Amino acid sequence: MTEFWESSFQDKQAMWGFEPADSAIATVQLFRKNGFKKILIPGFGYGRNANIFTDSGFDVTGIEISETAIDLAKKHYGDHVKVYHGSVSAMPFDHELYDGIFCYALIHLLSAAERIKLIHDCYNQLRPDGYMVFVAISKHDVTYGEGEKLSEDRFLTKHGAKLFFYDSDSIEKEFGHYGLVEAKEVDEPAKNRGNRPSQKFWMIIGKKGEK
């Protein structure tokens, strides 16, 4: 996984541009509505989705597996955000409790055991009444079924990524014990932007109950 993302960022640099994902914009609104301040972003990348949180006044901490991506984030956005270098499989990196967690297009790249661990670790790092938002690719995306089938709903793409495609049943199975509040399908981006056609994702929201 480390080599895959390191080479991807080295070759393609800011491969998704600098505009935040629509789901990141929606999550900023959700977190702001609830008066959140301290945010964790596993799968920080080069900061394109983090920047809207910092610009909105949130205190952001990131986790990123690629040193190249971290360097790109510092180059384009400065080094005012604390980013842990490492895999999300090594969570937790600190003993902080966060008001909100935003995890974009990461969880579907993991194995079944890794996905459950990530959900569990994120839930444990939420303060009571905190929200975690995961954005994951849907079985209704046009790419479903492409590439070598590795297991049920998981495929090896031509680019070398292993993708697990979610549906409502797998969301309930994996998130149901972790405060699942809502799961809705969204298009990312909401409107096609030039050569970036929309993909079908799930926006999955969980809330930690009060102690």
Side-chain angles (χ1 to χ4, degrees):
M1 180 72 79
T2 303
E3 292 180 2
F4 175 84
W5 285 111
E6 195 63 49
S7 63
S8 294
F9 283 115
Q10 286 175 359
D11 293 342
K12 301 174 184 176
Q13 297 287 293
M15 64 186 88
W16 298 292
F18 294 99
E19 291 294 319
D22 293 302
S23 55
I25 297 171
T27 301
V28 165
Q29 295 171 350
L30 172 67
F31 288 178
R32 183 186 286 155
K33 178 182 177 181
N34 284 274
F36 290 174
K37 179 65 176 177
K38 192 160 59 173
I39 308 300
L40 178 66
I41 301 182
F44 184 84
Y46 55 85
R48 77 169 181 115
N49 286 322
N51 195 49
I52 189 174
F53 287 93
T54 57
D55 284 351
S56 300
F58 292 98
D59 178 9
V60 175
T61 298
I63 301 170
E64 175 53 45
I65 198 171
S66 167
E67 285 188 284
T68 299
I70 295 173
D71 289 341
L72 283 170
K74 291 179 180 179
K75 175 183 176 182
H76 291 288
Y77 302 115
D79 57 1
H80 57 285
V81 174
K82 182 176 184 178
V83 182
Y84 292 104
H85 174 230
S87 170
V88 295
S89 63
M91 287 179 69
F93 284 85
D94 58 38
H95 297 290
E96 299 288 337
L97 292 181
Y98 293 91
D99 300 319
I101 296 174
F102 179 66
C103 187
Y104 181 84
L106 167 64
I107 192 166
H108 54 238
L109 296 164
L110 307 178
S111 69
E114 290 169 335
R115 295 195 303 271
I116 294 300
K117 183 179 187 302
L118 176 59
I119 297 167
H120 177 82
D121 289 342
C122 285
Y123 189 81
N124 281 348
Q125 285 205 263
L126 279 180
R127 69 161 177 79
D129 288 329
Y131 282 92
M132 57 183 186
V133 179
F134 289 80
V135 181
I137 198 162
S138 168
K139 281 180 69 172
H140 293 136
D141 188 68
V142 295
T143 60
Y144 176 77
E146 292 182 0
E148 177 189 350
K149 184 173 183 179
L150 302 174
S151 57
E152 188 67 26
D153 295 331
R154 194 169 189 235
F155 300 87
L156 176 64
T157 73
K158 62 182 179 181
H159 302 293
K162 298 175 182 178
L163 294 182
F164 178 77
F165 292 79
Y166 277 92
D167 61 14
S168 57
D169 289 339
S170 52
I171 290 171
E172 178 61 36
K173 179 181 178 181
E174 295 188 1
F175 290 87
H177 297 293
Y178 295 96
L180 181 62
V181 172
E182 181 182 12
K184 59 183 178 181
E185 283 189 298
V186 297
D187 292 322
E188 284 284 5
K191 295 181 180 179
N192 290 350
R193 299 173 185 167
N195 62 349
R196 290 177 58 201
S198 294
Q199 286 187 282
K200 188 71 70 175
F201 284 86
W202 285 95
M203 189 170 178
I204 306 161
I205 302 173
K207 181 180 181 181
K208 191 168 187 177
E210 295 183 7
K211 287 186 177 179

